[in-house]
Amino acid sequence: MNIIKTDIPDVLIFEPKVFGDARGFFFESFNENVFAEAIGSRPRFVQDNHSKSSKNVLRGLHYQIKQPQGKLVRVTAGEVFDVAVDLRKSSPTFGQWVGEFLSVENRRILWVPPGFGHGFVTLSETAEFLYKTTDFYAPEHERCVMWNDPDLNVDWHIQDEPALSAKDKLGLLLKDADLFD
């Protein structure tokens, strides 16, 4: 597996080796030993999630202020632009974001550590998104930073206004949000 560093050192891209022929393909999407060596720890994954979204649906930027979740994310159908924002006030990369195109074609996998906001927008007609989390979903601790916060200035690679959930429409500006120390 090829491991690619991003502009935020804690966020990593995993690029699996794909073995294919006329019959189809095979690749290892997760190996605990490779993952632990890459991030320097061995987190326990407790939940797997699967979502399907239509074109231009934007989900995020989500995080949990308590029970923060690390997320290992990938796409199994279609394409998304995935974004991680550092929300750790004590971090040298606080308030910075990185984005990555994840698709069924490139098979890239993104590690979003605890302490980060996370979101994605669907670029294809539909996309299916799978992710493992290091803690359980806790709606009472969930928070959302506005997808279009001018201080973050995320380039979502979309032309039109995205489709948002009612919850995501209520996202806060970074400067007004509960954050990590």
Side-chain angles (χ1 to χ4, degrees):
M1 189 165 298
N2 187 26
I3 299 158
I4 303 166
K5 295 185 181 216
T6 68
D7 290 339
I8 299 177
D10 295 334
V11 179
L12 299 174
I13 300 164
F14 292 83
E15 203 170 53
K17 291 184 173 100
V18 179
F19 304 94
D21 58 27
R23 300 169 298 149
F25 69 86
F26 168 85
F27 70 92
E28 188 175 76
S29 62
F30 177 74
N31 179 305
E32 184 177 4
N33 290 330
V34 171
F35 183 76
E37 184 176 328
I39 71 164
S41 66
R42 195 175 289 271
R44 189 184 93 166
F45 290 102
V46 299
Q47 189 173 318
D48 277 359
N49 300 316
H50 186 153
S51 71
K52 181 177 182 179
S53 299
S54 300
K55 185 177 182 112
N56 221 37
V57 167
L58 193 149
R59 299 180 186 270
L61 296 157
H62 301 147
Y63 63 102
Q64 291 183 177
I65 198 66
K66 293 184 182 172
Q67 292 177 238
Q69 295 176 309
K71 296 177 180 177
L72 189 63
V73 302
R74 67 188 182 105
V75 168
T76 59
E79 180 180 35
V80 306
F81 185 70
D82 197 89
V83 172
V85 178
D86 192 344
L87 301 178
R88 304 167 299 173
K89 291 186 278 190
S90 61
S91 170
T93 56
F94 170 72
Q96 295 177 31
W97 64 272
V98 293
E100 181 64 30
F101 292 96
L102 303 178
S103 70
V104 69
E105 286 84 19
N106 71 21
R107 295 182 178 93
R108 286 184 160 189
I109 302 161
L110 188 69
W111 166 240
V112 180
F116 281 71
H118 174 256
F120 67 92
V121 65
T122 303
L123 302 175
S124 52
E125 287 306 310
T126 62
E128 293 197 33
F129 193 81
L130 296 177
Y131 58 105
K132 297 177 167 307
T133 65
T134 60
D135 211 331
F136 295 101
Y137 175 62
E140 67 276 19
H141 302 305
E142 186 176 37
R143 302 292 188 270
C144 182
V145 170
M146 285 179 57
W147 69 277
N148 60 351
D149 183 315
D151 289 335
L152 295 175
N153 197 28
V154 174
D155 178 2
W156 289 98
H157 300 277
I158 53 175
Q159 309 304 313
D160 301 321
E161 195 75 11
L164 302 171
S165 70
K167 175 178 66 173
D168 289 352
K169 289 178 183 177
L170 300 175
L172 299 176
L173 293 171
L174 181 66
K175 65 182 181 183
D176 298 327
D178 292 333
L179 302 171
F180 303 97
D181 290 324

